[in-house]
Structure formats: structure tokens, C-alpha cells
Amino acid sequence: MTTFLRNSDAFIWSIGADPRMRSTIVSLILLDRSPDFTTVVGRFQNLSRSVPMFRGRVVPSRWPLPPRWQPDPEFDLAFHVRRVGAPGAGDLDAVLELARVAAMADFDPARPLWEATLIDEMAGGGAALLCRMNHALTDGVGAVEISRLLFDDPQQLGCRPRCAATVPLESAWPPLIGPIGEVVSASAGAAVRALQGSLRTMPGLLVHTTRHPAGSVRSAGATAASLWRAAGPHRRGSSSMCRRGSVRAIFVHEVPTQALHRAAAIAGGSLNDAFLAAVTAGLRRYHADRGTVTEFMVTMPINLRNATDQLGGNRTTLMRFRIPAGPADPAVRMHDIHRLTGAQRAEKSLAYTSVLAGAVNLAPRCYIRSQFGNVDFIASNVPGPAAPVSLGGATVRRQYAFSPTLGSAFNVTLLSYNEVCGIGFNVDTAAIPDVELFRGHLIAGFAELLALHR
């Protein structure tokens, strides 16, 4: 059967045509020394065979079918895996500049949508692996799972058996169907199977509706309201972070994982609650001399993966909700955020993620751009390896991720690794031109929160 992009993957792919909404994920792995490059190339070779999309390109289908994955007949691993010397002073700032440019660059649509660059000769004898991929390939949690294929001992990481296995490309990728008649036939077959499933469940639904009419109406109303909150129009909270452009600035911060957990425990919250509370504290500080702000519109990806999902593709849904700018007490703010994020995870619309993505993908691009532009920021919390790992004999010292802004003013991604939370900020400089000032306020927001447990 034809391998069409899922609704969520097709949506991410389509909005990336706008440079302001370019959907590139960039990850940075800092190493204590240069790894064996032959080993690194071999790991990416294995990865590209285990996850077929890493040897595929996106090609359009005839209307109304979504785009589809097609194996690249001229796949050249050397184009995707490169080795360079560290630029400039060879320090972290020099490497972050490479990451900033990577976050803004587009992909060649004639080739698979990823690249990896090993950066040697960093100051102090270190090295770095800079990877970038289109968001249509996978989401943040999926990228961490895929990255486990690169490390020296994936079994040590509790990786699922299929992660480490090399799957023959021919058997891993379903055969593509060429003529349009066969494509339509395949799609029709899928539609028939879906209809059969609906017919099997319909009698039970009718019986339930007949026996409990009031409850059914209330349930339908609650679901409709949840769908509206997920996909309906929203207004932004900040009146100063309004402009949008295509230039990005990135910076990093790090905090001890246990310190963030201890601060969260004071308010009976989670690490994610503390993370959002710290970001909100920084935003309050940044907006203090920019007029009154009472709340921020945030988008939070919610992971929907399970143990049976294959590697690759997006298994998250984006939930939009409002976070109050106050109160000033960080413990009370965490408590409020815990309640708000808990409500998001209970939304009925989560069951309709794929349907929503397909519907939004049909909306006019001006509407999509305006609604994504009304998001103040995106915040992602991605768990990485809890224990130290190595790559080609080199120890991984730190990991950072820079997720796309997708029309928001900035994206902040927390990637935990070996008891440290590496926090990557990807900032739209049209929305936030005074990046250094913004950075100082965000770091102060984390310091304010961590002071709770001292």
C-alpha cells in the first residue's frame, strides 16, 4: 500500500512552506572528545535502514490525497552525514551559531529531510554532533527514541528491541503504488475498513443514546467545546511580542534535574509544572516595563506514543491554553499551572487528534498563520537518557534541543540528560528583538523558582 503522510505529519510539512513557520528540529550533542567517525557513519547507516523515512523524500499526490513518502533512489549517506572543524574560537557560542543557521535553513525536497554534522576541534578538545530534521519525520520524544540508535550501548538505555534492530529497507517500507487508479483503490480500501469499523460500533452507540439521551447530549456538547478549544480562534496574551519574522536567535541554559523536582514538590507539582512556572516568571520580568500583561497563550505538545508505535512520525498533539502571568509567589503559580496542565491532559479532543490535524490542514493558510501567530510561546518537556551515554567512544556531556517556533514568539524545550535539564530557546527576533535582555530575564525566572527549595 502507499505510504501517505499521516494528517499531523502532512500538516507540519505543509506549514513549513512559510519561512516564518519553518518546522526544523535542531539537536546538539556535546562530547568530551571526537568520536570515531567511521562508527558515527555506521550508526546513521543503521538508523536510515531501521527508520525508512530517513531514506525517503516527500512527494505530492494527486488531489485530494495527502503527500506521500517515496524512497530516494539516489540516497547518498555522505550528503547527510558530514564532518567539519569548529569555526571561530571553537567554543559553545561558535557551535550555537551553526545551530542557529541550521534552524533557519530549509531542506532540499529532492532528498531525505535530515542532516548530521560532526564538529571536531572544539576548544578544550571536545566535539559536537549537530543534527537537524524536518518535524514531519518525527516529534521531540520520537527524536530521542531515534537518537538511541546512535549511542554505543542502546540496550543499556532500556531501548525497545525494535530500536536497535536493523530492518531490511525493502521489508520495512511498504511498496508504493504508482498509477492513480491503484492509489485511489488503496485509499478506498482504507475508507471501507474505517466504515466497517464505524458500522460495528454504531449499534452500541445508538443503544447508549436511546437509553441515556441527556447524558449523550451533554457528552457531545463537552466534546464539541473541547474541539473548539483545541482548534478554534484564540487571541494572544502578550501585547508586545506581536511581530513575526524568519530570523532566529538561540541560547541555552541548564538546571539540575533534582533541584527542579524539589522545587516542584513544594507546590505538589511535577517537573513540567516547575518548568512552565520558571518560564512564566521570566516572561513576567520581561514584560514588567512593557505594559500590563495578565496571561500568556501557550502551546504544549502532549505525547500520545505507546509501546506499539513505530519509530518516526508525529505522535503528539498541540494543546493551547492560557497561563496567568501571576501570582508573584512561584509556589502558588506552580499550583495553578498544575491544575491547568492537568485539565489539558483530560481534554476530550485528544481522542480526535488525527481528525483535527486533517481538518486544520484544509483551512486557509492565512487562518492557520494568524492562529499560530497568536501563540505567545511553545513549551516542550522531553525526557532523555537518565544515565551517561557515549557515541563512538566519546562521552556525551550535554544535550540540547531547539524546536521550531511554528509561528509563536519563541519555543523553549527542556531535554533532560544524566540529572541535568538542558534548556534550549529558539527565539523569533521580530517578536523579541532584545534577545540578551530577554535571556537574562528567563534565567532569572529559573533562579527565582529554584530558590524555593533552599
Side-chain angles (χ1 to χ4, degrees), residues 288-419:
D289 57 353
R290 286 169 173 75
T292 303
V293 58
T294 58
E295 60 186 7
F296 300 104
M297 175 62 75
V298 60
T299 289
M300 183 179 71
I302 294 181
N303 181 34
L304 302 177
R305 289 181 179 274
N306 58 54
T308 62
D309 285 331
Q310 295 298 309
L311 290 175
N314 285 267
R315 301 290 196 284
T316 60
T317 187
L318 301 177
M319 302 302 292
R320 294 177 298 171
F321 59 104
R322 298 186 181 279
I323 289 183
D329 186 331
V332 177
R333 190 185 317 123
M334 268 194 292
H335 182 272
D336 292 343
I337 288 174
H338 182 74
R339 174 180 52 81
L340 290 169
T341 56
Q344 294 306 305
R345 293 187 176 92
E347 284 282 8
K348 292 179 177 292
S349 61
L350 290 178
Y352 302 92
T353 296
S354 181
V355 175
L356 276 175
V360 174
N361 204 22
L362 296 175
R365 285 294 171 263
C366 59
Y367 172 81
I368 295 173
R369 188 164 52 247
S370 68
Q371 289 309 302
F372 275 69
N374 281 343
V375 173
D376 293 311
F377 70 99
I378 302 174
S380 302
N381 174 13
V382 182
V389 295
S390 60
L391 170 62
T395 300
V396 173
R397 294 195 293 110
R398 196 73 72 241
Q399 295 189 72
Y400 299 103
F402 307 96
S403 299
T405 60
L406 299 179
S408 66
F410 70 96
N411 186 309
V412 52
T413 301
L414 183 154
L415 177 57
S416 59
Y417 166 66
N418 190 27
E419 295 303 317

Side-chain angles (χ1 to χ4, degrees), residues 205-240:
L205 292 174
L206 290 174
V207 170
H208 178 82
T209 302
T210 301
R211 292 179 176 177
H212 309 283
S216 298
V217 170
R218 283 194 300 270
S219 178
T223 300
S226 180
L227 291 170
W228 179 257
R229 286 192 293 272
H234 291 269
R235 57 176 176 81
R236 66 170 63 95
S238 170
S239 59
S240 63

Side-chain angles (χ1 to χ4, degrees), residues 8-19:
S8 54
D9 302 342
F11 174 71
I12 287 291
W13 167 254
S14 65
I15 65 174
D18 185 339

Side-chain angles (χ1 to χ4, degrees), residues 63-297:
W63 190 88
L65 300 174
R68 64 189 189 276
W69 291 108
Q70 181 184 80
D72 180 4
E74 299 179 313
F75 178 74
D76 181 1
L77 188 65
F79 176 85
H80 298 276
V81 184
R82 308 163 187 172
R83 186 179 194 176
V84 301
D91 56 5
L92 178 58
D93 286 342
V95 173
L96 286 176
E97 176 60 19
L98 293 180
R100 183 184 80 88
V101 173
M104 294 189 293
D106 203 358
F107 291 91
D108 181 351
R111 299 178 185 274
L113 306 173
W114 65 277
E115 294 173 1
T117 303
L118 178 63
I119 304 167
D120 284 324
E121 303 168 359
M122 287 185 65
L129 182 66
L130 179 64
C131 302
R132 74 184 192 105
M133 65 184 72
N134 189 282
H135 210 322
L137 278 173
T138 190
D139 51 50
V141 173
V144 169
E145 287 196 355
I146 290 171
S147 72
R148 295 174 189 266
L149 289 168
L150 302 176
F151 299 134
D152 290 341
D153 189 1
Q155 296 300 327
Q156 219 175 33
L157 303 172
C159 188
R160 288 178 275 181
R162 62 174 174 79
C163 294
T166 299
V167 183
L169 185 63
E170 295 76 12
S171 62
W173 203 305
L176 289 174
I177 300 172
I180 185 63
E182 291 178 280
V183 172
V184 173
S185 176
S187 301
V192 168
R193 289 191 293 275
L195 178 59
Q196 288 172 339
S198 299
L199 290 175
R200 283 193 296 270
T201 58
M202 191 173 294
L205 292 174
L206 290 174
V207 170
H208 178 82
T209 302
T210 301
R211 292 179 176 177
H212 309 283
S216 298
V217 170
R218 283 194 300 270
S219 178
T223 300
S226 180
L227 291 170
W228 179 257
R229 286 192 293 272
H234 291 269
R235 57 176 176 81
R236 66 170 63 95
S238 170
S239 59
S240 63
M241 302 188 303
C242 296
R243 296 184 60 200
R244 298 293 184 264
S246 61
V247 177
R248 300 290 176 264
I250 66 172
F251 59 89
V252 298
H253 186 52
E254 62 182 55
V255 296
T257 304
Q258 287 306 314
L260 210 54
H261 273 300
R262 287 194 293 269
I266 291 174
S270 65
L271 182 144
N272 190 65
D273 301 327
F275 167 51
L276 286 174
V279 174
T280 306
L283 281 174
R284 281 184 79 245
R285 290 170 174 265
Y286 179 72
H287 283 79
D289 57 353
R290 286 169 173 75
T292 303
V293 58
T294 58
E295 60 186 7
F296 300 104
M297 175 62 75

